[in-house]
Amino acid sequence: MHNLRSIAIAAAGIVVLAIAAVFTVSLTLIAGAVLTLTLAARMLTLRSKKAPVYAKAKTQGQAREIRVWNDGRGTIIDL
């Protein structure tokens, strides 16, 4: 009887480990599928071209002077 109980406990432990392994593998496959679908969706979506942005100096009725000087390391242009 003692030997039969040990076999039953060992079988129950193996079953619990098998269930844990199946659960872990299924979660891994689900996470991989979600990440794959997300990546595929990002690759297939059309990306619009960004329009260039042109900056203009705000002058109030008068033109700013452009300052140019050389500091020994290169020419500096202050717009």
Side-chain angles (χ1 to χ4, degrees):
M1 189 69 177
H2 183 64
N3 197 13
L4 195 58
R5 187 181 313 152
S6 297
I7 293 173
I9 291 173
I14 291 172
V15 167
V16 168
L17 285 175
I19 290 172
V22 168
F23 182 71
T24 303
V25 169
S26 67
L27 283 181
T28 303
L29 290 176
I30 290 171
V34 168
L35 290 175
T36 302
L37 290 175
T38 304
L39 182 63
R42 287 184 65 187
M43 286 175 54
L44 294 177
T45 56
L46 296 175
R47 294 184 183 162
S48 60
K49 283 188 173 180
K50 293 183 179 179
V53 176
Y54 299 103
K56 294 182 181 178
K58 292 184 180 179
T59 57
Q60 298 176 358
Q62 57 186 343
R64 280 182 64 191
E65 74 175 55
I66 297 175
R67 296 179 292 171
V68 180
W69 70 93
N70 192 339
D71 66 349
R73 292 180 291 178
T75 303
I76 298 171
I77 303 172
D78 186 12
L79 298 177

